[in-house]
Coordinates of all heavy atoms in Angstrom, one line a residue:
M1 N 0.9 -1.2 0.0 CA 0.0 -0.1 0.0 C 1.0 1.2 0.0 O 1.9 1.3 0.7 CB -0.9 0.0 1.2 CG -1.9 1.1 1.3 SD -3.3 1.0 2.5 CE -3.1 -0.5 3.3
N2 N 0.6 2.2 -0.9 CA 1.4 3.4 -1.0 C 1.0 4.4 0.1 O -0.2 4.7 0.4 CB 1.1 4.0 -2.3 CG 2.1 5.1 -2.7 OD1 2.3 6.0 -1.8 ND2 2.6 5.2 -3.9
P3 N 2.0 4.9 0.9 CA 1.7 5.9 1.9 C 1.1 7.2 1.4 O 0.6 7.9 2.2 CB 3.1 6.1 2.6 CG 4.0 5.7 1.5 CD 3.4 4.7 0.7
L4 N 1.1 7.5 0.1 CA 0.5 8.7 -0.3 C -1.0 8.5 -0.5 O -1.7 9.5 -0.7 CB 1.1 9.0 -1.8 CG 2.6 9.3 -1.7 CD1 3.1 9.6 -3.2 CD2 2.9 10.6 -0.8
D5 N -1.5 7.3 -0.6 CA -2.9 7.0 -0.8 C -3.7 7.4 0.4 O -3.4 7.0 1.7 CB -3.1 5.5 -1.1 CG -2.5 5.2 -2.4 OD1 -2.2 6.1 -3.2 OD2 -2.5 4.0 -2.7
I6 N -4.8 8.1 0.2 CA -5.7 8.5 1.3 C -7.0 7.8 1.0 O -7.6 8.0 -0.2 CB -5.9 10.0 1.4 CG1 -4.5 10.6 1.9 CG2 -7.0 10.4 2.5 CD1 -4.5 12.1 1.7
H7 N -7.6 7.1 1.8 CA -8.9 6.4 1.6 C -10.0 7.0 2.3 O -9.9 7.3 3.5 CB -8.7 4.9 2.1 CG -7.6 4.2 1.4 ND1 -7.7 3.7 0.2 CD2 -6.4 4.0 1.9 CE1 -6.5 3.1 -0.2 NE2 -5.7 3.2 0.9
L8 N -11.1 7.3 1.6 CA -12.2 8.1 2.1 C -13.4 7.4 2.1 O -13.7 6.7 1.0 CB -12.3 9.5 1.4 CG -11.1 10.4 1.4 CD1 -11.2 11.6 0.5 CD2 -10.8 11.0 2.9
K9 N -14.3 7.4 3.1 CA -15.6 6.9 3.1 C -16.7 7.9 3.5 O -16.7 8.3 4.7 CB -15.6 5.6 4.0 CG -17.0 4.9 4.1 CD -16.9 3.7 5.0 CE -18.3 3.0 5.2 NZ -18.2 1.9 6.1
F10 N -17.4 8.3 2.6 CA -18.5 9.3 2.9 C -19.8 8.5 3.0 O -20.0 7.3 2.6 CB -18.6 10.2 1.7 CG -17.4 11.1 1.5 CD1 -16.5 10.7 0.6 CD2 -17.2 12.2 2.2 CE1 -15.3 11.4 0.4 CE2 -16.0 13.0 2.0 CZ -15.1 12.6 1.0
P11 N -20.8 9.2 3.6 CA -22.1 8.5 3.8 C -22.8 8.2 2.4 O -23.5 7.1 2.4 CB -23.0 9.4 4.5 CG -22.0 10.4 5.1 CD -20.8 10.4 4.3
D12 N -22.5 9.1 1.5 CA -23.2 8.8 0.2 C -22.5 9.7 -0.9 O -21.6 10.5 -0.6 CB -24.7 9.2 0.3 CG -24.9 10.5 0.7 OD1 -24.4 11.5 0.3 OD2 -25.7 10.7 1.8
Q13 N -23.0 9.5 -2.2 CA -22.3 10.3 -3.2 C -22.5 11.8 -3.2 O -21.6 12.5 -3.4 CB -22.9 9.7 -4.6 CG -22.3 10.3 -5.8 CD -22.8 9.8 -7.1 OE1 -23.8 9.0 -7.1 NE2 -22.2 10.2 -8.2
N14 N -23.6 12.2 -2.7 CA -23.9 13.6 -2.6 C -23.0 14.3 -1.7 O -22.5 15.4 -1.9 CB -25.4 13.9 -2.4 CG -26.3 13.6 -3.5 OD1 -25.9 13.6 -4.7 ND2 -27.5 13.3 -3.2
T15 N -22.9 13.6 -0.4 CA -22.0 14.2 0.5 C -20.6 14.3 0.1 O -19.9 15.3 0.2 CB -22.1 13.4 1.9 OG1 -23.5 13.3 2.2 CG2 -21.2 13.9 3.0
A16 N -20.1 13.2 -0.6 CA -18.7 13.1 -1.2 C -18.6 14.3 -2.2 O -17.6 15.1 -2.0 CB -18.5 11.8 -1.8
T17 N -19.5 14.4 -3.1 CA -19.4 15.5 -4.0 C -19.3 16.9 -3.5 O -18.4 17.7 -3.7 CB -20.5 15.4 -5.1 OG1 -20.5 14.1 -5.7 CG2 -20.3 16.5 -6.1
L18 N -20.2 17.2 -2.5 CA -20.3 18.5 -1.9 C -19.0 18.9 -1.2 O -18.4 19.9 -1.3 CB -21.5 18.7 -0.9 CG -22.9 18.6 -1.7 CD1 -24.0 18.5 -0.6 CD2 -23.0 19.9 -2.5
L19 N -18.5 17.8 -0.4 CA -17.3 18.0 0.4 C -16.1 18.1 -0.5 O -15.1 18.9 -0.1 CB -17.2 17.0 1.6 CG -18.3 17.1 2.7 CD1 -18.2 16.0 3.6 CD2 -18.0 18.4 3.4
L20 N -15.9 17.3 -1.4 CA -14.7 17.4 -2.3 C -14.7 18.7 -3.0 O -13.6 19.2 -3.2 CB -14.7 16.2 -3.2 CG -14.4 14.8 -2.5 CD1 -14.7 13.6 -3.5 CD2 -13.0 14.8 -2.0
V21 N -15.8 19.2 -3.4 CA -15.9 20.6 -4.1 C -15.5 21.6 -3.1 O -14.7 22.5 -3.3 CB -17.2 20.8 -4.8 CG1 -17.3 22.2 -5.3 CG2 -17.3 19.8 -6.0
K22 N -16.2 21.6 -2.0 CA -16.1 22.7 -0.9 C -14.6 22.7 -0.3 O -14.1 23.8 -0.1 CB -17.0 22.3 0.3 CG -16.9 23.3 1.4 CD -17.9 23.0 2.5 CE -17.8 23.9 3.7 NZ -18.6 23.6 4.8
S23 N -14.0 21.5 -0.3 CA -12.6 21.5 0.3 C -11.5 21.8 -0.8 O -10.4 22.0 -0.4 CB -12.3 20.1 0.9 OG -12.3 19.1 -0.2
G24 N -12.0 22.0 -2.0 CA -11.0 22.4 -3.1 C -10.3 21.2 -3.8 O -9.4 21.4 -4.5
V25 N -10.7 20.0 -3.4 CA -10.1 18.8 -4.1 C -10.7 18.7 -5.5 O -9.9 18.3 -6.4 CB -10.5 17.6 -3.2 CG1 -10.0 16.3 -4.0 CG2 -9.8 17.6 -1.9
W26 N -11.9 19.1 -5.7 CA -12.5 18.9 -7.0 C -12.9 20.3 -7.5 O -13.3 21.2 -6.7 CB -13.7 18.1 -7.0 CG -13.6 16.7 -7.0 CD1 -12.4 16.0 -7.2 CD2 -14.6 15.6 -6.9 NE1 -12.6 14.6 -7.2 CE2 -14.0 14.4 -7.1 CE3 -16.0 15.7 -6.9 CZ2 -14.7 13.2 -7.0 CZ3 -16.7 14.5 -6.8 CH2 -16.0 13.3 -6.9
L27 N -12.8 20.6 -8.8 CA -13.2 21.8 -9.4 C -14.5 21.5 -10.1 O -14.8 20.3 -10.6 CB -12.2 22.2 -10.5 CG -10.8 22.5 -10.0 CD1 -9.9 22.8 -11.2 CD2 -10.8 23.7 -9.1
T28 N -15.4 22.4 -10.2 CA -16.7 22.3 -11.0 C -16.5 22.8 -12.4 O -16.1 23.9 -12.6 CB -17.8 23.1 -10.2 OG1 -17.9 22.5 -8.9 CG2 -19.2 22.8 -11.0
I29 N -16.8 22.0 -13.4 CA -16.6 22.3 -14.7 C -17.9 22.2 -15.5 O -18.5 21.2 -15.4 CB -15.5 21.4 -15.4 CG1 -14.2 21.5 -14.6 CG2 -15.3 21.8 -16.9 CD1 -13.2 20.3 -14.9
T30 N -18.3 23.3 -16.2 CA -19.5 23.2 -17.1 C -19.0 23.0 -18.5 O -18.3 23.8 -19.0 CB -20.3 24.5 -16.8 OG1 -20.6 24.6 -15.5 CG2 -21.6 24.4 -17.7
G31 N -19.5 22.0 -19.1 CA -19.2 21.6 -20.5 C -19.9 22.4 -21.4 O -20.9 23.2 -21.1
L32 N -19.6 22.3 -22.7 CA -20.3 23.1 -23.7 C -21.8 22.7 -23.8 O -22.6 23.4 -24.2 CB -19.6 22.8 -25.1 CG -18.2 23.3 -25.3 CD1 -17.6 22.9 -26.7 CD2 -18.2 24.9 -25.1
D33 N -22.1 21.5 -23.4 CA -23.5 21.0 -23.3 C -24.2 21.5 -22.0 O -25.3 21.0 -21.8 CB -23.5 19.6 -23.5 CG -22.7 18.8 -22.4 OD1 -22.2 19.5 -21.5 OD2 -22.8 17.5 -22.4
N34 N -23.6 22.3 -21.3 CA -24.0 22.8 -19.9 C -24.3 21.7 -18.9 O -24.9 21.9 -17.9 CB -25.4 23.5 -20.1 CG -25.2 24.9 -20.9 OD1 -24.2 25.6 -20.6 ND2 -26.2 25.3 -21.7
K35 N -23.6 20.6 -19.1 CA -23.6 19.6 -18.1 C -22.4 19.8 -17.1 O -21.3 20.2 -17.5 CB -23.4 18.2 -18.7 CG -24.7 17.7 -19.4 CD -24.5 16.3 -19.8 CE -25.7 15.8 -20.6 NZ -25.6 14.5 -21.1
V36 N -22.7 19.7 -15.8 CA -21.7 20.0 -14.8 C -20.9 18.7 -14.5 O -21.5 17.6 -14.3 CB -22.3 20.5 -13.5 CG1 -21.2 20.5 -12.4 CG2 -22.9 21.8 -13.8
V37 N -19.6 18.7 -14.6 CA -18.7 17.6 -14.2 C -17.7 18.1 -13.2 O -17.5 19.3 -13.1 CB -18.0 17.0 -15.5 CG1 -19.1 16.4 -16.5 CG2 -17.2 18.1 -16.2
Y38 N -17.0 17.1 -12.6 CA -16.1 17.5 -11.6 C -14.7 17.0 -12.0 O -14.6 15.8 -12.6 CB -16.5 16.9 -10.2 CG -17.9 17.4 -9.9 CD1 -19.1 16.6 -10.1 CD2 -18.0 18.5 -9.3 CE1 -20.2 17.0 -9.7 CE2 -19.3 19.1 -8.9 CZ -20.5 18.3 -9.2 OH -21.7 18.7 -8.9
G39 N -13.7 17.8 -11.8 CA -12.4 17.3 -12.1 C -11.4 17.7 -10.9 O -11.7 18.5 -10.1
D40 N -10.3 16.8 -10.9 CA -9.3 17.1 -9.9 C -8.7 18.5 -9.9 O -8.3 18.9 -11.0 CB -8.2 16.1 -9.9 CG -8.6 14.6 -9.7 OD1 -9.7 14.5 -9.0 OD2 -8.0 13.7 -10.2
A41 N -8.6 19.1 -8.8 CA -7.9 20.4 -8.8 C -6.5 20.2 -8.8 O -6.0 19.0 -8.5 CB -8.4 21.2 -7.4
P42 N -5.6 21.2 -9.1 CA -4.2 21.0 -9.2 C -3.7 20.6 -7.8 O -4.1 21.0 -6.8 CB -3.7 22.4 -9.4 CG -4.8 23.1 -10.2 CD -6.0 22.5 -9.6
G43 N -2.8 19.6 -7.8 CA -2.3 19.0 -6.6 C -3.0 17.9 -6.0 O -2.7 17.3 -5.0
Y44 N -4.1 17.5 -6.7 CA -5.0 16.4 -6.2 C -5.1 15.3 -7.3 O -5.1 15.6 -8.5 CB -6.3 16.8 -5.8 CG -6.3 17.7 -4.5 CD1 -6.3 19.0 -4.6 CD2 -6.1 17.0 -3.3 CE1 -6.2 19.8 -3.4 CE2 -6.1 17.7 -2.2 CZ -6.1 19.1 -2.1 OH -6.0 19.9 -1.0
L45 N -5.3 14.0 -6.9 CA -5.6 13.0 -7.8 C -6.7 12.2 -7.0 O -6.5 11.8 -5.9 CB -4.4 12.1 -8.1 CG -4.6 10.9 -9.0 CD1 -5.0 11.4 -10.4 CD2 -3.3 10.1 -9.1
T46 N -7.9 12.0 -7.7 CA -8.9 11.1 -7.1 C -9.3 9.9 -7.9 O -9.2 9.9 -9.1 CB -10.1 12.0 -6.7 OG1 -10.7 12.5 -7.9 CG2 -9.9 13.1 -5.7
D47 N -9.8 9.0 -7.3 CA -10.2 7.8 -7.8 C -11.6 7.4 -7.2 O -11.6 7.0 -6.0 CB -9.3 6.6 -7.7 CG -9.8 5.3 -8.3 OD1 -10.6 5.3 -9.2 OD2 -9.3 4.2 -7.9
V48 N -12.6 7.7 -7.8 CA -14.0 7.4 -7.2 C -14.3 5.9 -7.4 O -14.3 5.4 -8.5 CB -15.1 8.2 -7.9 CG1 -16.4 7.9 -7.3 CG2 -14.8 9.8 -7.8
I49 N -14.4 5.3 -6.3 CA -14.7 3.9 -6.3 C -16.3 3.7 -6.2 O -16.9 2.8 -6.7 CB -14.1 3.1 -5.1 CG1 -12.6 3.2 -5.4 CG2 -14.5 1.6 -5.0 CD1 -11.6 2.8 -4.2
G50 N -16.9 4.5 -5.3 CA -18.3 4.4 -5.1 C -18.7 3.3 -4.1 O -18.0 3.2 -3.1
L51 N -19.7 2.4 -4.4 CA -20.0 1.4 -3.5 C -19.0 0.2 -3.6 O -18.5 0.0 -4.7 CB -21.4 0.9 -3.8 CG -22.6 1.8 -3.8 CD1 -23.8 1.2 -4.3 CD2 -22.8 2.3 -2.4
I52 N -18.7 -0.4 -2.5 CA -17.9 -1.6 -2.4 C -18.7 -2.7 -1.9 O -19.4 -2.6 -0.9 CB -16.7 -1.4 -1.5 CG1 -15.8 -0.3 -2.0 CG2 -15.9 -2.7 -1.4 CD1 -14.5 0.0 -1.2
F53 N -18.8 -3.8 -2.7 CA -19.6 -4.9 -2.3 C -18.8 -6.0 -1.6 O -17.6 -6.1 -1.9 CB -20.3 -5.5 -3.6 CG -21.3 -4.5 -4.1 CD1 -21.0 -3.6 -5.1 CD2 -22.6 -4.6 -3.6 CE1 -21.9 -2.7 -5.5 CE2 -23.6 -3.7 -4.1 CZ -23.2 -2.7 -5.0
K54 N -19.4 -6.7 -0.8 CA -18.8 -7.8 0.0 C -18.3 -8.8 -0.9 O -19.2 -9.2 -1.8 CB -19.7 -8.3 1.1 CG -20.0 -7.3 2.2 CD -20.9 -7.8 3.3 CE -21.1 -6.8 4.4 NZ -21.9 -7.3 5.5
P55 N -17.1 -9.4 -0.8 CA -16.7 -10.5 -1.7 C -17.5 -11.7 -1.8 O -17.7 -12.3 -2.7 CB -15.2 -10.7 -1.2 CG -14.9 -9.8 -0.1 CD -16.2 -9.1 0.2
I56 N -18.1 -12.0 -0.6 CA -18.9 -13.3 -0.5 C -20.3 -13.0 -1.0 O -20.9 -14.0 -1.6 CB -18.8 -13.8 0.8 CG1 -17.4 -14.2 1.2 CG2 -19.7 -15.1 1.0 CD1 -17.1 -14.7 2.7
D57 N -20.8 -11.9 -0.8 CA -22.2 -11.5 -1.1 C -22.3 -10.3 -1.9 O -22.3 -9.2 -1.4 CB -23.0 -11.4 0.3 CG -24.5 -11.0 0.0 OD1 -25.0 -11.1 -1.2 OD2 -25.2 -10.8 0.9
A58 N -22.2 -10.6 -3.3 CA -22.1 -9.4 -4.2 C -23.5 -8.6 -4.1 O -23.4 -7.4 -4.7 CB -22.0 -9.9 -5.6
A59 N -24.5 -8.9 -3.5 CA -25.6 -8.1 -3.4 C -25.7 -7.2 -2.2 O -26.5 -6.4 -2.0 CB -26.9 -9.0 -3.2
T60 N -24.7 -7.3 -1.3 CA -24.6 -6.5 -0.1 C -23.3 -5.7 -0.2 O -22.1 -6.1 -0.3 CB -24.5 -7.4 1.1 OG1 -25.6 -8.2 1.1 CG2 -24.5 -6.6 2.4
D61 N -23.5 -4.3 0.0 CA -22.4 -3.4 0.0 C -21.9 -3.2 1.4 O -22.6 -3.5 2.4 CB -22.6 -2.1 -0.7 CG -23.7 -1.3 0.0 OD1 -23.4 -0.7 1.1 OD2 -24.8 -1.0 -0.5
V62 N -20.6 -2.7 1.6 CA -20.1 -2.4 2.9 C -20.5 -1.1 3.5 O -20.1 -0.8 4.6 CB -18.6 -2.6 2.9 CG1 -18.1 -4.0 2.5 CG2 -17.9 -1.6 2.0
G63 N -21.3 -0.4 2.8 CA -21.7 0.9 3.2 C -20.8 2.0 2.9 O -19.7 1.9 2.7
G64 N -21.4 3.2 2.6 CA -20.7 4.4 2.3 C -20.4 4.5 0.8 O -20.6 3.6 0.0
W65 N -19.8 5.7 0.5 CA -19.3 6.0 -0.9 C -17.9 6.2 -0.8 O -17.4 7.1 0.0 CB -20.1 7.3 -1.4 CG -19.8 7.5 -2.8 CD1 -18.9 8.5 -3.3 CD2 -20.4 6.9 -3.9 NE1 -18.9 8.5 -4.7 CE2 -19.9 7.5 -5.1 CE3 -21.4 6.0 -4.1 CZ2 -20.3 7.2 -6.4 CZ3 -21.8 5.6 -5.4 CH2 -21.2 6.2 -6.5
H66 N -17.1 5.4 -1.5 CA -15.6 5.4 -1.3 C -14.9 6.2 -2.4 O -15.2 6.0 -3.5 CB -15.2 3.9 -1.3 CG -15.8 3.2 -0.2 ND1 -15.3 2.9 1.0 CD2 -17.1 2.6 -0.1 CE1 -16.1 2.2 1.8 NE2 -17.2 2.1 1.2
V67 N -13.9 6.8 -2.0 CA -13.0 7.7 -2.9 C -11.6 7.6 -2.3 O -11.3 7.7 -1.2 CB -13.4 9.2 -2.9 CG1 -12.4 10.0 -3.9 CG2 -14.8 9.4 -3.4
N68 N -10.6 7.2 -3.3 CA -9.3 7.3 -2.9 C -8.7 8.6 -3.4 O -9.1 9.1 -4.5 CB -8.4 6.1 -3.7 CG -8.8 4.8 -3.1 OD1 -9.3 4.7 -2.0 ND2 -8.5 3.7 -3.8
M69 N -7.8 9.2 -2.8 CA -7.1 10.4 -3.2 C -5.7 10.5 -2.9 O -5.2 9.7 -1.9 CB -7.9 11.7 -2.7 CG -7.7 11.9 -1.2 SD -8.4 13.5 -0.8 CE -6.9 14.6 -0.8
R70 N -5.0 11.4 -3.6 CA -3.7 11.7 -3.3 C -3.6 13.2 -3.2 O -4.2 13.9 -4.0 CB -2.6 11.2 -4.2 CG -2.5 9.7 -4.1 CD -1.3 9.2 -5.0 NE -1.2 7.8 -4.9 CZ -0.4 7.1 -5.6 NH1 0.3 7.6 -6.6 NH2 -0.3 5.8 -5.4
G71 N -2.9 13.8 -2.3 CA -2.7 15.2 -2.1 C -2.8 15.6 -0.7 O -2.9 14.7 0.2
Q72 N -2.8 16.9 -0.3 CA -2.9 17.3 1.1 C -4.3 17.2 1.5 O -5.3 17.6 0.9 CB -2.5 18.8 1.2 CG -2.5 19.3 2.6 CD -1.4 18.7 3.4 OE1 -0.3 18.5 2.9 NE2 -1.6 18.6 4.7
L73 N -4.5 16.4 2.7 CA -5.9 16.2 3.2 C -6.5 17.4 3.8 O -6.0 17.8 4.9 CB -5.8 15.0 4.1 CG -7.1 14.5 4.8 CD1 -8.0 14.0 3.6 CD2 -6.8 13.5 5.8
P74 N -7.5 17.9 3.2 CA -8.2 19.1 3.8 C -8.8 18.8 5.1 O -9.4 17.7 5.3 CB -9.1 19.5 2.7 CG -8.7 18.9 1.5 CD -8.0 17.6 1.9
D75 N -8.9 19.7 6.0 CA -9.5 19.6 7.4 C -11.0 19.1 7.2 O -11.5 18.4 8.0 CB -9.4 20.8 8.2 CG -8.0 21.0 8.7 OD1 -7.3 20.1 8.7 OD2 -7.7 22.2 9.0
T76 N -11.7 19.7 6.1 CA -13.1 19.5 5.9 C -13.4 18.0 5.6 O -14.6 17.6 5.9 CB -13.7 20.4 4.8 OG1 -12.9 20.1 3.7 CG2 -13.7 21.8 5.3
I77 N -12.5 17.3 5.2 CA -12.8 15.8 4.9 C -12.0 14.9 5.8 O -12.1 13.6 5.6 CB -12.7 15.5 3.4 CG1 -11.2 15.8 2.9 CG2 -13.7 16.2 2.6 CD1 -11.0 15.4 1.4
K78 N -11.2 15.4 6.7 CA -10.4 14.5 7.6 C -11.4 13.5 8.4 O -10.9 12.4 8.5 CB -9.6 15.3 8.6 CG -8.3 15.8 8.0 CD -7.5 16.5 9.1 CE -6.2 17.0 8.4 NZ -5.3 17.7 9.4
P79 N -12.5 13.9 8.7 CA -13.4 12.9 9.5 C -13.8 11.7 8.6 O -14.3 10.7 9.1 CB -14.6 13.7 9.9 CG -14.2 15.2 9.8 CD -13.2 15.3 8.8
Y80 N -13.6 11.8 7.3 CA -14.1 10.7 6.5 C -12.9 9.8 6.0 O -13.2 8.9 5.3 CB -14.7 11.3 5.2 CG -16.0 12.1 5.6 CD1 -15.9 13.5 5.7 CD2 -17.2 11.5 5.9 CE1 -17.0 14.3 6.1 CE2 -18.3 12.4 6.3 CZ -18.1 13.7 6.4 OH -19.3 14.5 6.8
R81 N -11.8 10.1 6.5 CA -10.6 9.2 6.2 C -10.8 8.0 6.9 O -11.2 7.8 8.1 CB -9.3 9.9 6.6 CG -8.1 9.0 6.3 CD -6.8 9.7 6.6 NE -5.8 9.1 5.9 CZ -4.5 9.4 6.0 NH1 -4.1 10.5 6.6 NH2 -3.6 8.7 5.4
V82 N -10.5 6.8 6.2 CA -10.5 5.5 6.9 C -9.1 4.9 6.6 O -8.5 5.1 5.7 CB -11.6 4.5 6.2 CG1 -13.0 5.1 6.7 CG2 -11.5 4.4 4.8
I83 N -8.8 4.1 7.7 CA -7.6 3.3 7.5 C -7.8 1.9 7.1 O -8.6 1.2 7.8 CB -6.8 3.3 8.8 CG1 -6.5 4.7 9.4 CG2 -5.5 2.5 8.8 CD1 -5.7 5.6 8.5
V84 N -7.3 1.6 5.9 CA -7.7 0.3 5.4 C -6.6 -0.8 6.0 O -5.5 -0.6 5.9 CB -7.5 0.3 3.8 CG1 -7.7 -1.1 3.2 CG2 -8.5 1.3 3.2
T85 N -7.2 -1.8 6.5 CA -6.4 -3.0 7.0 C -6.5 -4.0 6.0 O -7.5 -4.3 5.4 CB -6.9 -3.5 8.4 OG1 -8.3 -3.9 8.3 CG2 -6.8 -2.3 9.5
G86 N -5.4 -4.6 5.7 CA -5.3 -5.6 4.6 C -5.2 -4.9 3.3 O -4.6 -3.9 3.2
T87 N -5.7 -5.6 2.3 CA -5.6 -5.0 0.8 C -6.7 -4.1 0.5 O -7.9 -4.4 0.7 CB -5.6 -6.3 -0.1 OG1 -4.6 -7.2 0.2 CG2 -5.3 -5.8 -1.6
P88 N -6.4 -2.9 0.0 CA -7.4 -2.0 -0.4 C -8.2 -2.5 -1.6 O -7.7 -3.4 -2.4 CB -6.6 -0.7 -0.9 CG -5.4 -0.9 -0.2 CD -5.0 -2.3 -0.1
H89 N -9.5 -2.1 -1.8 CA -10.3 -2.6 -2.8 C -9.6 -2.3 -4.2 O -9.8 -3.1 -5.2 CB -11.7 -1.9 -2.7 CG -12.7 -2.4 -3.7 ND1 -13.3 -3.6 -3.6 CD2 -13.2 -1.8 -4.9 CE1 -14.1 -3.9 -4.7 NE2 -14.1 -2.7 -5.4
R90 N -9.1 -1.0 -4.3 CA -8.4 -0.6 -5.6 C -7.3 0.3 -5.2 O -7.4 1.1 -4.3 CB -9.5 0.1 -6.4 CG -9.0 0.3 -7.8 CD -10.1 0.5 -8.8 NE -10.7 1.8 -8.6 CZ -12.0 2.0 -9.1 NH1 -12.7 1.1 -9.6 NH2 -12.6 3.2 -8.9
I91 N -6.3 0.2 -6.0 CA -5.0 0.9 -5.8 C -4.5 1.5 -7.1 O -4.9 0.9 -8.2 CB -3.9 0.2 -5.1 CG1 -3.5 -1.1 -6.1 CG2 -4.2 -0.3 -3.7 CD1 -2.2 -1.7 -5.5
W92 N -3.7 2.5 -7.0 CA -3.0 3.0 -8.3 C -1.8 2.2 -8.5 O -1.2 1.7 -7.5 CB -2.5 4.4 -8.0 CG -3.6 5.5 -8.2 CD1 -4.2 5.9 -9.4 CD2 -4.3 6.3 -7.2 NE1 -5.2 6.8 -9.2 CE2 -5.2 7.1 -7.8 CE3 -4.1 6.4 -5.9 CZ2 -6.0 8.0 -7.2 CZ3 -4.9 7.2 -5.1 CH2 -5.8 8.0 -5.9
D93 N -1.4 2.1 -9.7 CA -0.1 1.4 -10.0 C 1.1 2.3 -9.8 O 1.0 3.5 -9.9 CB -0.1 0.9 -11.5 CG -1.1 -0.3 -11.7 OD1 -1.3 -1.0 -10.7 OD2 -1.4 -0.5 -12.8

């Protein structure tokens, strides 16, 4: 596991989006079609995992909305950091 990886678990997708934008991790971008998308702010790299399902029971998730990130951890999202024991669900190469 890379020590630069920060694992986050939010209650849901909306909370994750609001806090990642508010904290400056994500930028809000409006495309030519007027659709809003989110992109990593300079100095950040994120990997949205979303729901994680239990390996034995693919119909049951482990709860929360999961995002991996790299960069300085803002105070606003520190409460959502989780320490992964064992192998993370997904990692960067």
Side-chain angles (χ1 to χ4, degrees):
M1 188 169 357
N2 191 314
L4 298 175
D5 294 346
I6 298 168
H7 305 280
L8 302 166
K9 179 181 177 182
F10 297 96
D12 53 54
Q13 182 179 5
N14 289 336
T15 302
T17 301
L18 290 172
L19 288 171
L20 290 168
V21 170
K22 180 181 178 180
S23 65
V25 173
W26 280 356
L27 301 174
T28 303
I29 303 162
T30 303
L32 296 175
D33 57 0
N34 288 326
K35 289 185 180 178
V36 175
V37 295
Y38 304 98
D40 295 334
Y44 291 100
L45 179 62
T46 59
D47 177 25
V48 177
I49 297 168
L51 300 174
I52 296 176
F53 292 89
K54 294 182 179 180
I56 297 172
D57 180 6
T60 305
D61 66 69
V62 300
W65 189 260
H66 301 263
V67 177
N68 289 343
M69 72 168 264
R70 288 186 178 171
Q72 185 67 34
L73 182 63
D75 290 339
T76 52
I77 58 176
K78 279 184 181 178
Y80 301 95
R81 183 176 193 179
V82 292
I83 304 302
V84 176
T85 57
T87 304
H89 183 74
R90 190 160 69 205
I91 60 170
W92 279 288
D93 287 337

